[in-house]
Amino acid sequence: MIKQLLKPFLFISIIFMAITAQAQNSANIAFKVSFTEPQAHYADVEMTISNIKKDEITVKMPTWAPGSYLIREFSKNIESFAVNANKTSVPFEKVAKNAWKIKTKGKNAITITYRVYSFEVSVRTSYVDASHAFLSPTGIFMYVDGSLGEPSTVTIEPFTGWAKVSTGLQPIPDKAFTYYAKNFDWLFDSPIEVGNQDVFEFMAAGVRHEVAMVNAGEYDKEKLKRDMAKIVEKETAIFGENPNKYYVFIVHHFNAGGGGLEHLNSTVLGASRNAYSDPKRYQSFLGLVAHEYFHLWNVKRLRPIALGPFNYDEENYTTNLWIAEGFTAYYDNLIVQRISKYTPDEFVNLIQSDYNAVHNQLGNKSQPLSESSFDAWIKQYRPNENSSNTTISYYNKGALIACMLDLAIINNSKGMQSLDDAMRFAYNEFYKNKNRGYTDLEFKAVLEKYAGDNLDQFYADFINGTKDLDFNKYLNYAGLKISERQALKQPSLGVTMSKTDKTEIATVTRNSAAWNAGLNVKDEIIAINGDRTQDAINYISKLAVNDEADFLISRDGLLKTIKVKLTASASKTMQIQQLENVSATQKTVLEKWLSL
């Protein structure tokens, strides 16, 4: 039996190698990345373009990284751009911030060389130092304008002493550290880690998973393998299939770190190297794993129609990031609960925290959720001192919307279906059957199909409007309610103070005492009622609502006295509790929701 099984496996392997070799030979674009000065944070790139048929071509550097909705101007890090053919210089002209036009008449092949300064720590930007290199492809590789569909190869030449490369790109047999990308969307979605990372693997849902741990961390490999595998299995079960045969987690460790960025068959995570031994922080890390892995389906394949094919030159606007990110933010904690790493009470408390964050942010009254998605390019990643007054996050409010819809579907189907079923249907309908993204109305129709209800008013109130979420209606389906905790009315100034200078105002809440009196961001509070103070918040807590206080401030070096009438804090602390009398139907919804 073993011999019989080996024959088809060997045949498939030979075909795979033949296809890979053929693909490599057909690729007219080849990159080589080396590191002559890693200690100075440089990656050296060589781009060879063959089989040129035009008199001139233009090469471009992307301006943003998919999954991170901000124009990042990666070309600002390019230097020493040069072009040659057969060791002869080829003329070129820089024609835009991220574009170079090259005179290729009479040239069948050219080689472009350039250096990339790489010294920004994040999951979406490249970083090179003496110990390792992390290559975020949109900030490393250029493309030929009009040829995003072309295949390419990438060869990595590790620096002396570096021995490993981790990437989701397809390796080319018999060529060390050489990889194939079937098009530039795949290349730009395949980060590369080079160095001496600690690598281990696990199998889950029929997929081989590589985990590349960068820099030291106090982690238990066997525990991580078990828990990460459970996450993979639970999420794959939602969609009915796993679209990959190989997946890579690149985990960067810092003293204090976080965040992640999803890719087609990999992800990059930021983590604290000391977080694994702390139960709460370990739960958060698993939530991050669950979040980025869920994106494997939700956004990388099941996506708003605006998010693919990508325009790498400019913004790609969508009003649906509350689905792409918000639903994922709901599922990350839900999945961790489903693998029993959160208790049901802990999970409900996380929903409660999201509700409090949204309910108490004044921007929730100003910015609709769909607008928050559309304006991500100019607001989500560029917050300022007034953002809390004017914006709302599509992450936590989107998660609450997902929670409400999940409970509605469970209730209206009498516990037979959930949001899982809607997500699986949408994945099959748009990604697999139609091979495209969904429109606003199409995704709304899917939600209506499973909720068994018209969602026109729901969208008008909560997605395209700023009406307070009717959260109790949906919690009641599961025998729960949310209500305000009893609290003494405390005087409030309505400011936050700078983390680096506790006497300087960092933010002012709209319609607060400070707002109405005219205290400003960057005002330095020197004294209150004649008393020198370096802790205004603590001083105010000892006064009463409606008290008046004289603030001596320094504004741009000038002393000024402002009288402030203290008001009661407008913030409310809401708590989710069980209803006193719970019906059998409500118990069914609760059990389905929390998989009890």
Side-chain angles (χ1 to χ4, degrees), residues 9 103 141 164 185 226 337 424 459 466 505 513 541:
F9 176 78
K103 304 296 183 181
F141 301 112
K164 298 176 183 177
D185 285 328
R226 290 193 300 271
Q337 188 268 331
R424 185 185 310 111
Y459 266 65
T466 57
I505 296 175
S541 69

Side-chain angles (χ1 to χ4, degrees), residues 72-138:
R72 297 188 180 273
E73 310 294 17
F74 293 119
S75 57
K76 67 186 177 183
N77 295 318
I78 302 300
E79 59 183 85
S80 304
F81 185 94
V83 187
N84 69 78
N86 296 320
K87 299 183 179 180
T88 301
S89 179
V90 176
F92 67 88
E93 176 188 5
K94 189 169 186 180
V95 293
K97 63 183 180 181
N98 67 322
W100 293 258
K101 183 181 289 185
I102 303 169
K103 304 296 183 181
T104 53
K105 186 175 182 179
K107 308 290 190 301
N108 179 261
I110 61 171
T111 298
I112 302 167
T113 57
Y114 56 92
R115 309 187 80 200
V116 185
Y117 183 69
S118 308
F119 195 51
E120 183 178 350
V121 176
S122 81
V123 294
R124 63 194 68 84
T125 51
S126 298
Y127 181 90
V128 178
D129 67 14
S131 65
H132 78 112
F134 170 64
L135 306 179
S136 183
T138 47

Side-chain angles (χ1 to χ4, degrees), residues 510-553:
R510 175 174 285 157
N511 298 327
S512 66
W515 177 284
N516 294 331
L519 288 176
N520 292 177
V521 169
K522 296 187 178 179
D523 284 350
E524 179 189 359
I525 299 175
I526 298 173
I528 305 175
N529 290 338
D531 296 329
R532 179 85 177 187
T533 181
Q534 292 189 339
D535 189 346
I537 304 302
N538 182 58
Y539 189 101
I540 292 300
S541 69
K542 299 174 183 177
L543 302 180
V545 174
N546 294 325
D547 278 356
E548 290 189 339
D550 291 325
F551 280 70
L552 177 64
I553 66 166

Side-chain angles (χ1 to χ4, degrees), residues 113-300:
T113 57
Y114 56 92
R115 309 187 80 200
V116 185
Y117 183 69
S118 308
F119 195 51
E120 183 178 350
V121 176
S122 81
V123 294
R124 63 194 68 84
T125 51
S126 298
Y127 181 90
V128 178
D129 67 14
S131 65
H132 78 112
F134 170 64
L135 306 179
S136 183
T138 47
I140 295 293
F141 301 112
M142 296 186 184
Y143 64 97
V144 177
D145 192 21
S147 300
L148 284 170
E150 292 294 312
S152 63
T153 63
V154 176
T155 299
I156 303 296
E157 294 187 348
F159 186 65
T160 304
W162 297 356
K164 298 176 183 177
V165 173
S166 297
T167 180
L169 288 171
Q170 181 178 309
I172 294 176
D174 302 323
K175 287 187 175 290
F177 303 135
T178 301
Y179 306 89
Y180 172 76
K182 64 181 179 180
N183 56 48
F184 274 80
D185 285 328
W186 267 99
L187 177 61
F188 290 150
D189 227 352
S190 300
I192 303 169
E193 177 65 35
V194 189
N196 293 308
Q197 57 271 23
D198 183 18
V199 175
F200 61 89
E201 295 185 350
F202 66 89
M203 289 292 296
V207 178
R208 183 165 65 95
H209 293 78
E210 174 184 331
V211 183
M213 305 295 260
V214 183
N215 296 327
E218 297 179 359
Y219 47 85
D220 182 331
K221 292 182 187 180
E222 296 306 314
K223 183 179 180 182
L224 281 172
K225 288 180 186 179
R226 290 193 300 271
D227 292 341
M228 293 171 78
K230 290 176 183 177
I231 289 170
V232 170
E233 297 283 359
K234 288 291 184 183
E235 294 189 351
T236 301
I238 292 173
F239 293 94
E241 68 172 18
N242 197 303
N244 293 313
K245 293 300 179 186
Y246 182 67
Y247 189 92
V248 179
F249 293 92
I250 298 174
V251 186
H252 291 146
H253 291 104
F254 308 99
N255 185 45
L261 188 64
E262 70 275 5
H263 297 281
L264 279 163
N265 69 339
S266 61
T267 187
V268 184
L269 309 178
S272 170
R273 62 176 62 94
N274 301 314
Y276 299 97
S277 59
D278 181 279
K280 293 295 182 185
R281 296 168 79 189
Y282 183 63
Q283 287 173 326
S284 295
F285 176 75
L286 292 180
L288 179 61
V289 170
H291 184 101
E292 301 307 333
Y293 203 85
F294 196 82
H295 276 314
L296 181 61
W297 297 272
N298 190 34
V299 88
K300 299 314 300 184

